[in-house]
Amino acid sequence: MEGSNIFSPSLAFTLVFALALCAQLLLKFWLATRQMRHVAGHRAQVPPPFAGHIPLAAHQKAADYTLAKGRVGLLEIALGAAVVLGWTLLGGLDALNQALLALVDERGGGGLLQQLALLAAFALINGLIDLPLTLYQTFVIEQRFGFNRMTLRLWLADLLKSTLVGALFGLPLAAAVLWLMGAAGTLWWLWAWALWMGFNLLLMVLYPTVIAPLFNKFTPLADEALRQRITALLARCGFAAKGLFVMDGSRRSAHANAYFTGLGAAKRVVFFDTLLQRLTPDEIEAVLAHELGHFKHHHIGKRMAALFAMSLAGFVLLGWLATQPWFYTGLGVRPNFMLAPGSQVPNDALALLLFALVVPVFGYFFAPLWAGLSRRHEFEADAYAAAQASGAALASALLKLHEDNASTLTPDPLYVRFYYSHPPALERLARLPAPAANL
Ligand SMILES: [Zn+2]
């Protein structure tokens, strides 16, 4: 139909998409290799501000770890682009869709079942493609640097559980969205957006209480002195939490963390056992005060509002794109309404998948905006922690966590601008009192 005309919207869209994919690939490679060169170039010496705080061996371990992850990262970048290309312009999604249509045709019926099968098959295939690299990251790289605590058995059990949980939540959600797309008229995207928002809120309630306990053990914080200290900090900051928990993060990894989870008054404070083992009570209090700073400055609410607004824009866009033939043909897919005019076989699953494949390609270029906002929030939370707890304790906690996690102290500045959600240690410490005083 349209393919022969050189100015067809379909061809134009193919070109725009291919250009964006190439630009994204080149930019990702360029940034990743810059970061690796920068880290390798600063490997020989602990940067002067940190001399005396970080041993040379730890600095070099961080460099080696960053480089090892970077090399796999290059492979990941190439694989990611190949997978997107394979699904779209090389015809992977079209072939999968046609195969499932043929299968359904033989048995009669179709519609929702075929579409759900398409979504599930797509997710499974993508999961299988990602599997080797994930295994390599955990059992080769994390292992080599002493971070991995997982056995293959635990890894397999996790995979099985997360697949089941994903299917349990994902399939009904997908079925509901597909149903809305077919039955809710031209404003389906508004309903689908409302459903998506509701689902996200539900997850925020269910995650800490139902999902996370499937993977980890959560025990109430037993250390009475620390408990009182933290309770006092929460009270001082006017913060309502439902409980303080310790998570057995050490079962899987030596990396340490602390976080808040849940909604409203049902919020929980969760400490990784690895964090409690490594930090002093002063430092733990400071780390928690930093997290409280995010709440006090309404960062969480702002981020959620931004996500709500962006997903609304996404659904508006999807609602329009799903009706445009060039959106499908331009991405290498023959929509059902073009193959069999007048047929009742819907294209909704195709539209969802193409959208999910294409949005990250274009959205990638906006990553620096998001990262920049996040870094500003981190500074605000640090300042709050310095006021409510101790800036010096936060600084020493940051140094310990950097060393323990083998995070590089010498990232490439441009790489930081593009990707880092947290400012580099040097910038954070420079804004805190001692031990940054001598930095
Ligand atoms: Zn933070």
Side-chain angles (χ1 to χ4, degrees), residues 336-420:
N336 303 320
F337 59 72
M338 285 180 72
L339 282 181
S343 96
Q344 292 305 302
V345 184
N347 302 283
D348 303 333
L350 282 177
L352 285 176
L353 290 177
L354 287 177
F355 193 70
L357 284 166
V358 164
V359 161
V361 173
F362 293 99
Y364 173 74
F365 301 98
F366 298 95
L369 292 178
W370 196 246
L373 183 71
S374 172
R375 288 196 304 275
R376 209 172 73 209
H377 287 171
E378 293 306 325
F379 280 132
E380 288 174 4
D382 279 355
Y384 184 83
Q388 295 294 330
S390 150
L394 182 63
S396 70
L398 282 174
L399 275 177
K400 274 190 193 172
L401 292 177
H402 261 76
E403 185 179 342
D404 286 4
N405 289 326
S407 310
T408 180
L409 295 170
T410 56
D412 170 49
L414 203 64
Y415 190 87
V416 168
R417 289 203 135 214
F418 213 93
Y419 291 116
Y420 270 38

Side-chain angles (χ1 to χ4, degrees), residues 75-349:
L75 206 65
E76 250 183 322
I77 293 169
L79 182 70
V83 166
V84 172
L85 199 63
W87 279 124
T88 54
L89 301 184
L90 297 181
L93 188 57
D94 191 56
L96 183 64
N97 182 45
Q98 296 303 326
L100 288 171
L101 275 176
L103 205 71
V104 170
D105 261 358
E106 282 164 24
R107 306 185 178 195
L112 194 61
L113 192 66
Q114 187 264 345
Q115 300 212 57
L116 269 182
L118 183 61
L119 294 183
F122 176 88
L124 272 179
I125 293 170
N126 267 348
L128 285 174
I129 294 173
D130 286 342
L131 220 49
L133 270 187
T134 316
L135 270 170
Y136 185 80
Q137 270 156 346
T138 307
F139 291 104
V140 178
I141 295 187
E142 294 288 296
Q143 189 81 36
R144 189 194 305 156
F145 289 90
F147 292 127
N148 180 43
R149 303 261 175 88
M150 273 216 255
T151 57
L152 193 61
R153 196 192 156 95
L154 177 61
W155 187 84
L156 282 171
D158 278 359
L159 181 67
L160 191 70
K161 272 192 261 182
S162 53
T163 308
L164 285 176
V165 170
L168 197 70
F169 285 93
L171 285 176
L173 176 72
V177 170
L178 289 170
W179 178 78
L180 282 173
M181 289 175 89
T186 47
L187 282 182
W188 70 264
W189 49 268
L190 192 59
W191 298 107
W193 175 73
L195 179 73
W196 173 242
M197 292 300 101
F199 177 77
N200 273 287
L201 291 177
L202 181 74
L203 267 193
M204 289 183 73
V205 176
L206 290 185
Y207 182 80
T209 48
V210 179
I211 300 175
L214 292 175
F215 296 90
N216 281 100
K217 242 207 241 110
F218 293 82
T219 40
L221 178 63
D223 183 334
E224 194 46 46
L226 185 61
R227 217 186 145 73
Q228 280 177 10
R229 233 184 133 134
I230 292 172
T231 312
L233 172 73
L234 292 174
R236 197 157 76 231
C237 300
F239 191 84
K242 254 279 164 52
L244 312 174
F245 292 88
V246 181
M247 189 189 101
D248 59 344
S250 57
R251 263 184 91 200
R252 291 188 176 79
S253 159
H255 293 298
N257 206 352
Y259 66 91
F260 285 99
T261 151
L263 258 190
K267 278 191 286 287
R268 296 170 165 212
V269 180
V270 176
F271 299 100
F272 282 36
D273 52 357
T274 35
L275 186 91
L276 296 186
Q277 285 154 17
R278 184 69 173 116
L279 300 187
T280 66
D282 275 344
E283 292 164 344
I284 293 167
E285 188 184 14
V287 166
L288 191 62
H290 168 96
E291 296 301 322
L292 287 170
H294 283 308
F295 275 93
K296 278 294 154 181
H297 285 286
H298 306 291
H299 295 158
I300 317 290
K302 282 180 198 166
R303 260 176 242 189
M304 275 181 55
L307 281 175
F308 273 40
M310 283 197 295
S311 55
L312 180 60
F315 273 102
V316 171
L317 188 62
L318 174 60
W320 175 64
L321 287 173
T323 61
Q324 306 299 315
W326 54 261
F327 177 61
Y328 303 87
T329 53
L331 293 171
V333 171
R334 293 165 290 169
N336 303 320
F337 59 72
M338 285 180 72
L339 282 181
S343 96
Q344 292 305 302
V345 184
N347 302 283
D348 303 333

Side-chain angles (χ1 to χ4, degrees), residues 33-94:
T33 49
R34 268 185 72 106
Q35 164 83 338
M36 289 168 72
R37 268 202 312 276
H38 202 271
V39 169
H42 291 82
R43 184 183 182 278
Q45 195 197 347
V46 179
F50 297 101
H53 295 286
I54 302 272
L56 180 65
H59 172 67
Q60 297 194 324
K61 179 187 173 186
D64 295 340
Y65 182 53
T66 309
L67 290 172
K69 280 195 303 183
R71 281 188 284 269
V72 188
L74 293 179
L75 206 65
E76 250 183 322
I77 293 169
L79 182 70
V83 166
V84 172
L85 199 63
W87 279 124
T88 54
L89 301 184
L90 297 181
L93 188 57
D94 191 56

